[in-house]
């Protein structure tokens, strides 16, 4: 592997990630080049793996919002089971889209707006 | 299925597709579940009974704060002490309910002596009893201060699931409003310091949006549509700001740091507004629910003691002094007590 490829690979995997099935709800927040979004923005997704830096999601059904997702899109993620009184909401940016089948699309999402305490909560979930 | 004796350590737990009849008791730590109805001839101790139909316990329930009976139909027991009864249809108790939780979409009837002491009743319909509450225990002798009174709380007129939803929503709304105000303060502070790469028009618009975070008061005065439109505007501005942010793996420095901070606080403001709107919509749905029964009543034949807490619909009162038989009903915005008579009870 070239130095650049190793560096890129390291950048991609800065955080320990763990395979897990964590309940998460996802809403389309923004798409590059589009000011208006459909009224229905919920996406049906499930978690494949999670790290303090991001999450790998798999869409589990066709929705108007899921059809619009592309690289650079912003997704509004809500985690209810991280131990806080209100759900933790994080804004993520889609860095990779993989269409494994017509109905299943995997989305690699990096957390773009996250506080240190939220990152800690996720790290705890991942490491413990 | 017929169980001749007790359900205990020897018999093990019971699970059945149809009806179950237990000739003996259900001992502590055991469970009985059936898709049909369950009839228990003896006593239910600190055990769990779950039925798709009705549950009948001919003796009573002595739950030791761990026993529970849940039925999609009716629950009828001889007495209940320190247990939870949860029935979709109605609850009928033969003599007394002490320090227990009674939940039903229908009515609660305590027959015979009709004693209700301590605990919580949440019913969509009426509560009928003979004596409600307790005089209290005078620890230091007659006339000396400090009585211990067991708290008896009665909530009528709304199914328990809806009422619990309402009780959980209020604190969530408060937390969300508080988070919104905190985020708004941070946004205003950053903007007042000046954020590079945010033009004057956008900055002014953000100041406007941050000065009025969504709250219940805002929703009641300006309406949900206005709040949603303003939050949608906030979303589009935030999306433009975030589009300029580099990947977090390349840590922002210098001017980008403030820009990233602004993005974070704007996002917190957006999500707080969103949550306030969502919780408020939920509260409104409960308040205007067709399942709200404003004609629900508390009918007490003999005595109501001081300190009993009564809620009918969303109106609350606490009984201020011991009184004889009374029927508590909602009249406008308050709960009124009229004298108990058989005729008045029949009209309820």
């Amino acid at each position: 592997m070239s130095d650049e490829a190793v560096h890129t690979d390291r950048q991609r995997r800065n955080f320990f990630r763990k395979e897990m099935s964590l309940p998460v709800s996802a809403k389309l927040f923004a798409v590059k080049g589009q000011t208006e979004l459909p009224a229905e923005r919920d996406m049906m997704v499930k978690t494949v793996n999670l790290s303090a830096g991001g999450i790998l999601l798999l869409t589990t059904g066709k929705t108007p919002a899921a059809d619009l997702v592309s690289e650079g899109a912003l997704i509004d993620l809500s985690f209810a089971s991280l131990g806080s009184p209100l759900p933790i909401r994080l804004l993520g940016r889609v860095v990779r889209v993989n269409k494994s089948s017509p109905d299943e699309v995997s989305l690699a999402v990096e957390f773009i707006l996250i506080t240190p305490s939220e990152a800690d909560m996720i790290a705890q979930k991942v490491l413990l | 299925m017929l169980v001749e004796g007790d359900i205990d350590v020897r018999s093990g737990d019971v699970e059945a597709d149809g009806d179950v009849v237990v000739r003996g008791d259900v001992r502590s730590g055991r469970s009985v579940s059936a898709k049909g109805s369950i009839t228990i001839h003896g006593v239910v101790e600190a055990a769990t009974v779950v039925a798709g139909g009705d549950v009948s316990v001919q003796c009573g329930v002595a739950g030791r704060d761990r026993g529970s009976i849940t039925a999609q139909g009716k629950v009828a027991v001889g007495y209940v002490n320190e247990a939870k009864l949860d029935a979709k249809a109605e609850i009928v108790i033969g003599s007394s309910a002490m320090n227990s939780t009674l939940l039903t979409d229908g009515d609660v009837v305590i027959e015979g002596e009709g004693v209700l002491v301590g605990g919580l009743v949440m019913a969509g319909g009426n509560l009928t009893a003979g004596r409600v509450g307790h005089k209290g225990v005078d620890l230091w002798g007659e006339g000396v201060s400090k009585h211990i009174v067991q708290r008896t709380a009665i909530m009528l007129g709304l199914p328990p699931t809806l009422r619990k939803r309402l009780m959980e929503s209020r604190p969530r709304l408060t937390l969300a409003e508080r988070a919104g105000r905190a985020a708004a303060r941070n946004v205003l502070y950053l903007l007042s310091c000046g954020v590079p790469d945010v033009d004057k028009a956008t900055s002014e618009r953000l100041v406007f949006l941050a000065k009025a975070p969504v709250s219940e008061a805002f929703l009641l005065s300006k309406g949900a549509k206005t709040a949603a439109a303003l939050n949608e505007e906030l979303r589009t501005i935030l999306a433009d700001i975030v589009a300029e942010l580099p990947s977090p793996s390349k840590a922002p420095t210098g001017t980008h740091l403030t820009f990233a901070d602004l993005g974070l606080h704007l996002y917190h403001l957006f999500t707080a507004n969103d949550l306030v709107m969502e919780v408020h919509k939920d509260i409104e749905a409960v308040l205007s629910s067709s399942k709200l029964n404003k004609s629900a009543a508390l009918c007490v034949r003999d005595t109501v003691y001081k300190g009993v807490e009564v809620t009918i619909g969303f109106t609350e009162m606490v009984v201020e002094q011991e009184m004889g038989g009374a029927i508590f009903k909602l009249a406008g915005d308050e709960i009124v007590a009229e004298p108990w008579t058989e005729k008045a009870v029949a009209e309820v």
Side-chain angles (χ1 to χ4, degrees):
Chain A
M1 206 186 261
S2 68
D3 283 350
E4 193 182 294
V6 167
H7 173 76
T8 306
D9 195 55
R10 276 211 194 108
Q11 287 299 318
R12 274 178 53 184
R13 296 176 185 281
N14 257 342
F15 300 96
F16 172 73
R17 62 182 66 187
K18 187 177 178 183
E19 280 192 12
M20 62 168 61
S21 170
L22 185 71
V24 62
S25 71
K27 270 191 191 172
L28 187 60
F29 189 84
V31 172
K32 263 185 182 174
Q34 250 179 268
T35 330
E36 285 195 23
L37 293 180
E40 189 42 62
R41 294 170 196 177
D42 286 310
M43 295 165 57
M44 286 159 34
V45 297
K46 64 178 186 184
T47 312
V48 177
N49 66 42
L50 178 71
S51 75
I55 187 169
L56 182 64
L57 299 170
L58 194 65
T59 63
T60 55
K62 281 183 84 64
T63 57
D67 287 342
L68 289 174
V69 172
S70 55
E71 256 185 52
L74 299 177
I75 312 258
D76 193 352
L77 299 159
S78 179
F79 299 88
S81 56
L82 292 181
S84 59
L86 295 177
I88 300 286
R89 288 196 42 186
L90 302 175
L91 198 61
R93 182 190 285 151
V94 176
V95 295
R96 238 176 5 265
V97 178
N98 254 333
K99 269 199 170 117
S100 43
S101 77
D103 291 328
E104 267 189 3
V105 180
S106 78
L107 306 170
V109 178
E110 64 174 350
F111 299 136
I112 197 90
L113 288 178
I114 180 168
T115 63
S117 61
E118 287 163 348
D120 280 346
M121 273 195 236
I122 294 198
Q124 272 194 0
K125 195 78 185 172
V126 168
L127 294 172
L128 294 176
Chain B
M1 176 191 274
L2 173 65
V3 178
E4 282 291 351
D6 296 343
I7 292 181
D8 55 16
V9 174
R10 271 181 297 191
S11 71
D13 295 338
V14 167
E15 203 176 312
D17 278 341
D19 298 340
V20 173
V21 174
V22 179
R23 293 229 197 272
D25 304 329
V26 182
R27 299 285 183 195
S28 292
R30 301 271 60 87
S31 77
V32 182
S33 65
K35 289 187 179 159
S37 293
I38 299 175
T39 303
I40 297 160
H41 290 200
V43 169
V44 173
E45 295 179 353
T48 306
V49 177
V50 178
D54 300 338
V55 173
S56 162
V57 182
Q58 286 169 15
C59 280
V61 183
R64 295 184 217 167
D65 286 332
R66 283 175 288 136
S68 73
I69 296 184
T70 306
Q72 294 305 309
K74 168 179 156 178
V75 169
V77 303
Y79 64 84
V80 58
N81 289 347
E82 296 176 343
K84 181 170 122 183
L85 306 183
D86 187 342
K88 262 269 174 292
E90 65 168 346
I91 293 176
V92 177
I93 300 169
S95 60
S96 66
M98 297 181 67
N99 298 319
S100 295
T101 300
L102 312 178
L103 309 172
T104 178
D105 288 1
D107 297 335
V108 176
V109 178
I110 310 178
E111 296 170 334
E113 218 184 319
V115 172
L116 174 66
V117 174
L120 169 68
V121 176
M122 267 193 204
N126 306 323
L127 167 60
T128 305
R131 181 160 45 98
V132 174
H134 192 269
K135 212 186 237 309
V137 173
D138 186 355
L139 276 187
W140 288 278
E142 195 69 37
V144 178
S145 63
K146 291 295 177 193
H147 283 72
I148 291 183
V149 178
Q150 287 160 307
R151 182 173 174 245
T152 308
I154 297 164
M155 298 175 163
L156 306 175
L158 196 63
T161 42
L162 287 183
R163 191 171 294 279
K164 280 182 191 174
R165 216 165 102 190
L166 194 64
M167 287 162 75
E168 281 156 14
S169 292
R170 282 269 156 225
R172 287 182 78 218
L173 185 66
T174 304
L175 279 177
E177 286 179 349
R178 198 179 295 160
R181 285 195 299 271
R185 272 199 303 274
N186 289 330
V187 166
L188 289 170
Y189 171 71
L190 281 173
L191 290 171
S192 71
C193 294
V195 181
D197 299 331
V198 177
D199 62 68
K200 191 173 176 222
T202 305
S203 183
E204 282 170 4
R205 199 61 197 154
L206 285 175
V207 166
F208 171 80
L209 291 169
K211 278 188 171 170
V214 177
S215 63
E216 192 177 20
F218 184 102
L219 287 165
L220 291 172
S221 69
K222 308 268 191 232
K225 269 194 179 154
T226 305
L230 291 174
N231 214 34
E232 182 64 7
E233 187 188 344
L234 181 56
R235 181 194 68 78
T236 54
I237 298 176
L238 177 55
D240 289 339
I241 287 176
V242 172
E244 300 297 319
L245 287 175
S247 166
S249 56
K250 299 165 192 157
T253 56
T255 56
H256 257 130
L257 198 58
T258 316
F259 199 58
D261 271 347
L262 178 66
L264 190 63
H265 294 303
L266 282 173
Y267 179 63
H268 286 166
L269 177 60
F270 172 83
T271 55
N273 288 346
D274 206 33
L275 187 58
V276 168
M277 287 190 279
E278 184 193 307
V279 176
H280 187 256
K281 195 169 153 190
D282 208 31
I283 291 174
E284 288 290 300
V286 176
L287 294 182
S288 55
S289 166
S290 58
K291 294 193 175 165
L292 175 60
N293 176 8
K294 286 188 174 179
S295 57
L298 167 63
C299 307
V300 186
R301 187 189 60 229
D302 301 324
T303 316
V304 184
Y305 288 98
K306 177 182 168 180
V308 169
E309 299 164 24
V310 182
T311 303
I312 300 180
F314 309 113
T315 307
E316 301 170 5
M317 70 161 280
V318 178
V319 173
E320 288 178 358
Q321 55 191 30
E322 184 177 319
M323 48 171 57
I327 297 176
F328 295 81
K329 279 187 199 178
L330 201 56
D333 285 337
E334 55 178 354
I335 296 174
V336 297
E338 57 185 53
W340 188 95
T341 61
E342 286 200 21
K343 185 175 172 224
V345 169
E347 284 167 9
V348 161

